[in-house]
Amino acid sequence: MAAVVFALKIWRHYLYGETCEIYTDHKSLKYIFQQRDLNLRQRRWMELLKDYDCSILYHPGKANVVADALSRKSMGSLAHIAPAKRLLAKDIQRLEDTGIRFCVGNSEALLACAQAKSSLVERIKATQYKDARFCKYRDEALAGKSKDMIVESDGVLRMDDRLCVADRWVETCYS
């Protein structure tokens, strides 16, 4: 129960006003709401639980494979990585330093997928906001005065289907 209360305190800003289900492999916690005689600590916990719209459900430990995987020791640092795989981790770090971003997607399964995404469009967009000529084009496009220029939902200025690139950005890339 101490772990449940700790988790509720940490995630309270997500859980207030929401209905949540708490799964535990301690069958006795399923009946905590029906108990008459509680000690002081349990009473304090029950006062905290009343603030949340939650129910405690029993889930046998052998059937709860996800909790077993989450309770294992963290393997996040380079010290836990085998020496042969450390070079790969350092290469990925170097790629991130050059502007390639890796995103790990969420899924129901315990799988991770890395996606390489170039930051080129973001850098061009940043220079578009600094260029006075492009600011004028953006204002015209947003006002509906320009039929060729459009501003996309992500804020990038385009002419028809082509990305607008400032001259000074091109000069800095190729000089």
Side-chain angles (χ1 to χ4, degrees):
M1 189 60 163
V4 170
V5 169
F6 180 73
L8 287 173
K9 285 180 180 178
I10 289 176
W11 298 101
R12 69 180 166 268
H13 50 284
Y14 293 114
L15 298 175
Y16 274 140
E18 298 291 327
T19 303
C20 62
E21 296 174 340
I22 300 168
Y23 291 94
T24 179
D25 61 348
H26 295 278
K27 197 168 194 170
S28 61
L29 291 182
K30 180 178 175 182
Y31 305 106
I32 191 94
F33 294 112
Q34 288 89 22
Q35 272 188 330
R36 277 190 244 150
D37 298 328
L38 298 172
N39 64 31
L40 289 175
R41 181 181 295 162
Q42 290 171 331
R43 287 183 199 158
R44 212 172 37 245
W45 288 341
M46 293 306 289
E47 286 296 319
L48 186 126
L49 280 172
K50 287 180 185 176
D51 294 340
Y52 298 92
D53 182 16
C54 65
S55 58
I56 297 177
L57 304 171
Y58 172 68
H59 195 72
K62 289 188 179 198
N64 198 356
V65 180
V66 176
D68 280 345
L70 292 174
S71 64
R72 301 285 182 233
K73 218 177 219 185
S74 173
M75 302 294 275
S77 68
L78 274 177
H80 291 96
I81 298 176
K85 295 181 181 175
R86 286 184 193 166
L87 292 174
L88 176 63
K90 288 180 182 178
D91 286 342
I92 290 173
Q93 184 64 45
R94 263 189 252 120
L95 285 172
E96 284 187 342
D97 291 342
T98 62
I100 296 176
R101 301 286 175 239
F102 291 93
C103 300
V104 178
N106 295 333
S107 66
E108 294 294 323
L110 294 176
L111 298 173
C113 177
Q115 175 185 9
K117 183 178 177 184
S118 173
S119 62
L120 178 65
V121 175
E122 289 299 318
R123 293 189 312 190
I124 291 173
K125 178 178 151 184
T127 58
Q128 285 180 350
Y129 279 98
K130 293 176 186 172
D131 192 292
R133 188 172 45 139
F134 282 134
C135 289
K136 184 180 116 191
Y137 292 151
R138 175 176 277 103
D139 293 341
E140 289 176 0
L142 291 172
K145 296 178 182 176
S146 175
K147 43 187 159 174
D148 295 333
M149 295 287 190
I150 57 168
V151 178
E152 292 189 337
S153 60
D154 60 351
V156 177
L157 183 66
R158 293 185 183 266
M159 176 181 271
D160 296 324
D161 61 342
R162 294 174 290 175
L163 185 65
C164 298
V165 180
D167 293 334
R168 117 181 119 175
W169 189 81
V170 174
E171 290 168 4
T172 58
C173 287
Y174 292 106
S175 57

